[in-house]
Amino acid sequence: MGKLDGFREFKRETAKKRLVKDRIKDSKELFVKFPVEKLRKQGARCMECGVPFCNWGCPLGNLIPDWNDMVYKEKWEKAYNRLTLTNNFPEFTGRICPAPCEGSCTLGVNRDPVAIKEIELNIIEKAFEQGWTKPVAPKVRTGKKVAVVGSGPAGLAAAAELNSVGHDVTVFERDDEIGGLLRYGIPDFKLGKDIVERRVNFMASEGVKFKTNVNVGVNYSAKSLLSDFDAVALTGGSTIPRDLKVEGRTLKGVHFAMDYLKQQNRRVSGKEVEVEEINAKDKVVLVLGGGDTGSDCIGTAIRQGAKSVYQYEIMPKPPVDRDDTMPWPSYPRTLKTTTSHEEGCNRDWNVTTRKFTGEDGSVNTLHGSKVEWKSNEKGGQQMVEIPGSEFELKVDLVILAMGFLHPQHEGLLLDLGLDFDNRGNVIVDDNSMTKLKGVFAAGDMKRGQSLVVWAICEGRSVTKNIDKYLMGETSLRG
Amino acid sequence: MNNSIGYPEKQGLYDPAFEKDNCGVGFVANIRGEKTNGIVKKGLKVLVNLTHRGAVGADPKTGDGAGILVQIPDEFFRISCDNLGLELPRTGKYAVGMIFLPKEPALRFQCEGIIERIAEEEGQKILGWRSVPTDNRNIGDTAKGTEPIIRQLFIGSTFKDVDLTDDELQEEFERRLYVIRKRSEKEVVKLVDRNTEYFYICSLSSRTIVYKGLLLAEQIKGFYVDLQDINFKSALCLVHQRYSTNTFPTWDLAQPFRYLAHNGEINTIRGNRNWMNAREGVLKSKVYGENLKKLFPIISPNGSDSASLDNILELLKMDGRSLPHSMMMLIPEVWMTNDGMEDYKKAFYEYHGSLIEPWDGPAVVAFTDGIRIGATLDRNGLRPARYVITKDGFVVLASEAGVLQFKPEDIEKKGKLQPGKMFLIDTNEGRIITDEEVKKKICTDKPYGEMISKNKLYLDDFDAVIDEVKIDKYILKERQQAFGYTLEDLKIILAPMAKDGKEPIGSMGNDTPLAVLSNEPQLLFAYFKQLFAQVTNPPIDPIREKMVMSLMNYLGSQDNVLNQDLNDNPFIEINRPILTNLELAKIKNLKDNAFKTTTIPITFKADTGIEGFKDALDKLCARTSARIKEGYNIIVLSDKSVDSYDAAIPSLLALSAVQQHLTREKTRTSVSIIVETGEARETMHFALLIGYGATGVNPYLALKSIDNIISEGDIENISVEKAHENYINAISQGLLKILSKMGISTIQSYHGAQIFDAVGLSSDLLEKHFGGTPSRIGGIGLDTIAKEVLIRHKNAFNKLRKPIAELEVGGKYSWRKDGEYHLFNPDTIFKLQVAARTNDYKLYKEYSKIINDQDKHLCTIRGLFELNYGNEIPLEKVEPISEIVKRFCSGAMSYGSISKEAHETMAIAMNRLGGKSNTGEGGEDAERFKVDENGDLRRSAIKQIASARFGVTTEYLVNADELQIKIAQGAKPGEGGQLPGKKVNSTIARLRHSTPGIDLISPPPHHDIYSIEDLAQLIHDLKSVNPRARISTKLVSELGVGTIAAGVVKAHSDAIVISGHDGGTGASPLSSIKHAGLPWELGLAETQQVLLLNNLRSRVTVQTDGQLKTGRDVVIAALLGAEEFGFATTGLVVLGCTMLRNCHLNTCDMGIATQDPELRKNFKGKPEYVVNFFTFIAMEIREHMAKLGFRTMNEMVGRVDKISQKKAIEHWKAKDLDLSNILYKPDMPKRIKRYCVIAQDHGLDNSLDFKLIEMAKTSLEEGKRSTSNLEIENVNRSVGAMLSGRIAMKYGAAGLPDDTITINFVGAAGQSFGAFGANGLTLKLVGDANDYVGKGLSGAKIIVKTPENCTFKQDENFIAGNTILYGATSGKLFINGLVGERFAVRNSGAQAVVEGIGDHGCEYMTGGIVVIIGRTGRNFAAGMSGGIAYVIDEDGTLKSRCNMEMIEVESVTSEPDSLELYSIIKEHFETTNSHKAAKILDNWDKYKLKFKKVIPTAYKAILEGK
């Protein structure tokens, strides 16, 4: 317990954001640094519960009460050690994790939760700043070679862990940069690419080998992969986006979010965009899908100079506060107003798309209608269109941000002959091993689309199995 | 295996070894040694008048045993033998053996033959046999069934030596008789092939004879026809009435034994016996020479604790020490902390203390050798002993006053035995020898002081340097990992101790797996559980009564205890068993003639694996033996050499294996063993090491870890030295607490006493290496222990691939995702809360499935069970939910520990359900006794009576459906508590009858329950106040709890609660939460089995609690024998508790465990949630019942045949468990019921109060004044209680106007005179009273007055007993004489005057005014946090007898004080005609100056408005 009565004495507080008018002019990070004194007070608010629900809410099992207390007591280096015991990349989760830990913080029962994410971020940034994050090469090399296919957060976590116990790790990435969604999925204003590069360089200096532009199954055969390595971790993510099968879908100006975001990320990094440009400048933009990716598209569109931005979601508008459907400590699926929303956006819920129409092959109108959700006899929810609620919206650009279905099957996965579950994800056994001996899968590829924190968790836990497979035992915590 | 006559075999969880007994004891004697038949008659009368201190079992005519010891009635035997044609030599030249023999003639002849042969082999002459005439027509069936043949053997002395006197020759003869008896006992067991238990020699002596048996007091005389003969004469008669906790009392265990009768319990008996057995190797007797071996084993294997004490006393006595001398060695006074004690006495005790450890526990021991007769009391004075000396030279001493009636004018003196004191009569010298005289003579007989000053050394006398190697923090981490340190150990255990010098406190119960069920490797320590005292024996308060406690022990070889020449060998005294590095270095350095130390490693080569581990253990024992032969007398067992090659044998295993090996070899007493270990860090670890034989422990790694904690800045502003000292102090205090909860005062007695039981260790292991520590469910052996070590070792030293950055998280105290499993974890808490809130049974089932299915996470014993479904019936045939929920109770949680909102919500819910809520210890607001407007009732059906008696008024008691006596609490059995003043707001203070802001201390024991007969008395008191209420007794599951439970049933408790060790708490030391007590499955099953075997089960309702969470838990509990079920923690979780485990900090953000008005607003619980929850539980139960084929819960109770142990348990440790003992069902006829069908007979019909109520009828009904007169005897107990209950029922707390009902008594009142006396009642007694006068006084006035015609001085004689005014809340008391120990303990509002008191007066007092116009005993005002005492201090020594920790002693200076004091003394004079008061009032100006005002500092500040 940081301070006995800290939770009563201090209010929740998090870092301030730059003003909207300033921040939409660039792609830099949104938040200003949070003062240490304030951070300590947040640490002091932690009640160090006998049953810390934050620790449960966090997929990684971050030892949150421990480092909350250490920050309060200004034991930063200890806090860093304790934090990295469970989390390889706090600089990522500290920025982009939706913080399920805070949703389950016990203070949330009667008050606002501890600013856990803020504390996490500050611990790791302080560690980089102070140079505590020295690369540690393993004492011995096992001589075992492991391939990690896919360099998103799951792959990176797996690579870091496997390298730490002495395996010779090679990470394959089909894109030209390491990082997967971290690199090309998430806009810079949420996660600066220097942050990703810092970590990649760090890992490289610890001995991890990175191979970009290698699309296993295309320009490097699955067969070679199996023969070149003693074990393989498949961490390619869930990359096939959910499509909208309506009339007018093929009109120009209707795009998948990931195509849109990737372009912009390349642009910000000063790279060429080799495909057809998608740009929101002076356009009326409609984002379909109310999730984080949708938000990222909104922020991106605004920065590109969109005339106006709309966001439609098929599900009902979530309540502002917790209700009985999401009691503490479950994740509060309340109405989220992201930084992108603050920057200017018209949102609506219970909207379904009937069709798109356009002129000259380009989209210019959305034909939608309102829906309501009714319980059916199976206990599920059923969508019913409200008669007479049809409407039209003039649009120039439509971004589909409705989530992802499953990993890409063509190429590597089919070449390896792996099995898929009914959602299209790779089937593994209790040890995360696919039907092929020595071939493991983890992350979204295995569990379906999810959060970065889950990807890191997956990447960590698969390494325990890989290490055990290779060595017969493991000291990894997973 | 116990060989006594009548015990059942060890079976299931029943083990005759757990039998305990408490009793009534006494003697009568003619000081001048004149033998008369009258003495015998009077002795028998005393016995009969102590009947209520004994007990009867299911068979009302079979008592627990009674007997008398008298001088050989020579005249009688001469006549009787003459009739048999048997010629007796002159008195003193023949001995009589009183012998129990088998009924079967052939066997009997064989036994008789053996003893005859041995007597002749020992050179004595067989004179003949006499069959003892008995009449068994009136004895009980049980007694008859086991009745032996009783015969007397006459042996003639052949000793002749002209140089010796007759007395000396008789002494020689006695010594030889001892050999004959010991040899006979041994040879009968060896040579006779069956029924040897029927052979027992009650006595074999030329001086004394014992008549005893499995009889009630009143039956003795009728059974033994001899006793009725007028020629049967003796000058002394020692009597004993036994109350054993169970109903397997036996003929031979009846007392007196050969030299003594004992009321009490020897808590350290296991250790005392072990040490005595070990000591046989070094015993040398000048008297017996080579013959000494014939006496082995000194301690007969099958005796009770009292019998063993008799055995050792006999040895010391026969070897030539006098009986008083021997008693002083075995039951020493408090000497270490006693500044007032003479040096010669201290030297005596210290000298003998280096030879033998105290036999520690509550005790009155009455003893005699046939010439001298006396009694001694334990250091705490925990048993009553009152005596009367008449002017014609007659003495009676007994557990109670008034057992014989005397005319006041014939009485010379009335006294009581004081703690540690001895009372002795020498009939040869014809006089009483005072404690002072007898002890002075013994103590100055030899120059003990010289020997001490010459030979006693301290570690400070030696030099050494610490050869400390600096190790870096990574190496330290390796060591920590090797010994299983976790982050929690550092943060929660070590850091707080090093910082504050106190043991860490926690809250809520333990819901982690038993060590044997944990997936993680555990330290061997974790498999052991502390034992604690309950009911038969009080725990001690190690804080307020630290004067009786000691951690001192000796280093070096222990000398021959028999050697009567002075032992001239040096020894080293160490004042506490935790050794610093420097102290250890000094010990290791000892290399001179007197002390030679050797260090033996307790490690093995890690790569030799399990076999290497076992080898190393054997080698270790062999090495130790070799070292002893080489002359080393201090052995240091060390694991300091642990490194990547050498792994540590668990220190406890190494130590205990050596201890047992040396004990078997009988070399153990030649050495001291020290343990140098990296493993020990918590209090429990040290307690175990000491309890299994270590004299000292050096926790080098814990100390090193503290250094590192400091260097990392985790605790600040402290030096390493100070931190070490703090840590050692914290552990030391913790050790005192562990000792005291077992009722043990000194570490010397605790040392090697094995006060533990094991859960999950194999019995082979325990038998071989742990001296037979009991294990009921088997478990792991050496292989798995080795495996656990190797896992840790590998974890620590396998560092090439990825050095582990941090220690394991632990998760034992707080849940952690990767840590130890907890039943209450986020998943279960979440699901349970939502299910109860939204009335969602499906979600509840998800919750209960996680708790019930423990396949992946074993946690509880019940998790290893499966139910044998079959004969399924339709669900609707099962009794309805509404019937089942009546069996549910909420846990005892006080208003104070939880908020008003939480407390009342729970009560409302339980009342809506028809179940029962429990007040806990903290009273209840009278406004809750009325029904609310909406029909809800906030009254708790169960009113708890706990040790502090907070809020226990007559009104409180009558407003209850059940009165629950809390003997112990699962989270901290045997411990008290303290509510800090800052939590005591005005409401809490009002309900607890105290002042806001002052600390409220709960003592560890009930000061009116030091024994089982005391519990019977309290039950009688409560039943008298509220005859409609059910009385229940709450026990905590531990080894032998079934035996205790049997005693409790015999004490007429209507219900028993068996609480699991894992119950919750608002605040408790972590070491207690984790390590004391057993799971309820074990305690409940044992209780059920023992009660069935006794046919007592049908008389009592059994309830269980402790982490009950689901319907399946209830079903298992019912099948094991429970009828009712308590839920505490789970109920709180339903009301919003998320297990913050911060209850002790008052910061509960859920508004539950807090009194903070702001936080209380956060309380969101509703009665509906609780109702929903209990309905779910009942629904789940019904589903199981249907599948099991039970229509009613009663059908299910005790049907253990419906449970089996899960097959195919794959768990690496749990697979070794064998639960068949829990699932054992004794084969009993169907008529012996498994559940309660018979109401207890409380014997209230004979209550004197019916007469009082009749006499006060008009007063009760119309409030008219009435006065009546009555005679009273000591068998009239709890007089006034029932009448007071009637007053409180009708008139509430206010009662009647003062003096409405006045009753004048003449005689000797029984115990609890005026207990719970209500306002308006005045009880005047001329005569004397026993213990507990004015207990729980609630407004009445009590006067105890010395008869006017007596000739002794009022203020020099005891006229009332111990523990007077305990828990009084209001009223007045005047006594014009002396009273016993613990006067006005926990008084919170009564006013009292007495003329002198014993030790521990006004302890824990929180209010009221006490005036003492005579001498006070020691430790006055200990833990007194409120109220005022005015004490006369005529010799200016008062302060030295006060416990000054909380109080101030000042002169009476202010005018208001002086006036108040004067008027109180005046009232005393007016009511009692006190001579002393008259003198004081007449000389007020002079006496005023002699008074001191004793007032607690904090209380004074509050009164003065600071």
Side-chain angles (χ1 to χ4, degrees), chain B residues 1014-1031:
Chain B
D1014 287 344
L1015 174 70
Q1017 179 58 38
L1018 178 59
I1019 290 172
H1020 189 73
D1021 295 338
L1022 296 175
K1023 197 76 186 180
S1024 297
V1025 177
N1026 184 352
R1028 290 168 300 102
R1030 186 170 88 162
I1031 313 290

Side-chain angles (χ1 to χ4, degrees), chain A residues 365-379:
Chain A
T365 308
L366 164 114
H367 301 264
S369 70
K370 299 288 280 186
V371 299
E372 59 185 348
W373 292 85
K374 289 190 170 152
S375 311
N376 62 15
E377 60 272 22
K378 282 182 198 157

Side-chain angles (χ1 to χ4, degrees), chain B residues 555 579 584 587 634-637 672-676 695-697:
Chain B
L555 266 187
L579 302 171
L584 181 72
I587 292 171
I634 298 175
I635 289 172
V636 178
L637 300 176
S672 288
I673 304 179
I674 304 287
V675 178
E676 178 184 38
T695 301
V697 181

Side-chain angles (χ1 to χ4, degrees), chain A residues 378-447:
Chain A
K378 282 182 198 157
Q381 293 277 305
Q382 203 168 0
M383 184 186 85
V384 185
E385 279 189 38
I386 301 172
S389 68
E390 295 81 2
F391 69 96
E392 290 177 8
L393 177 75
K394 290 285 172 201
V395 293
D396 305 313
L397 178 63
V398 176
I399 309 285
L400 303 179
M402 300 179 303
F404 300 89
L405 294 172
H406 52 69
Q408 182 185 320
H409 296 168
E410 296 72 30
L412 176 61
L413 299 186
L414 285 178
D415 289 358
L416 290 172
L418 300 183
D419 296 334
F420 305 104
D421 63 18
N422 53 15
R423 293 189 302 150
N425 297 320
V426 176
I427 292 178
V428 294
D429 64 13
D430 287 348
N431 299 316
S432 299
M433 196 168 1
T434 65
K435 69 193 271 199
L436 286 184
K437 206 161 169 256
V439 177
F440 297 78
D444 289 2
M445 184 174 262
K446 179 194 118 194
R447 76 191 311 270

